[in-house]
């Protein structure tokens, strides 16, 4: 299993946008992402960096693998 990187919130949001997620709103220090046909919403903390465990949880909630996320991140 590849190591999940520590990223800035904007990098995380851009990667998820490449995977079809859209920014629905921002409430306080969290950016909320939604995807049509997907029940879950993703809440990306808008802090200096997103922790590895938080990012792994977001990837899991999105229903993708770490490898798929890293591939979208590189595009």
């Amino acid at each position: 299993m590849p190591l999940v990187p520590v990223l800035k919130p904007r990098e995380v949001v851009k990667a998820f946008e490449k995977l079809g997620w859209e920014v629905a709103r921002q409430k306080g220090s969290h950016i909320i992402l939604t995807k049509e046909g997907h029940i879950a919403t993703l809440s990306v903390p808008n802090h200096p960096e997103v922790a590895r465990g938080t990012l792994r949880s977001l990837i899991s909630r999105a229903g993708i693998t770490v490898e798929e996320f890293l591939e979208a991140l590189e595009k």
Side-chain angles (χ1 to χ4, degrees):
M1 184 176 294
L3 185 65
V4 177
V6 175
L7 300 170
K8 296 188 182 308
R10 288 275 116 214
E11 296 170 314
V12 173
V13 170
K14 281 186 180 184
F16 278 119
E17 285 176 335
K18 290 176 187 174
L19 294 166
W21 291 83
E22 297 177 355
V23 175
R25 64 189 180 279
Q26 181 171 349
K27 181 169 178 144
S29 63
H30 288 80
I31 303 164
I32 309 300
L33 303 170
T34 59
K35 184 175 181 179
E36 191 170 322
H38 206 279
I39 295 171
T41 60
L42 304 179
S43 178
V44 180
N46 194 12
H47 302 159
E49 51 188 35
V50 179
R52 284 189 173 103
T54 303
L55 183 52
R56 188 174 292 279
S57 174
L58 289 169
I59 291 169
S60 175
R61 285 182 57 94
I64 60 172
T65 64
V66 174
E67 291 86 359
E68 290 172 320
F69 177 81
L70 293 175
E71 195 173 295
L73 188 62
E74 293 172 1
K75 289 182 186 176

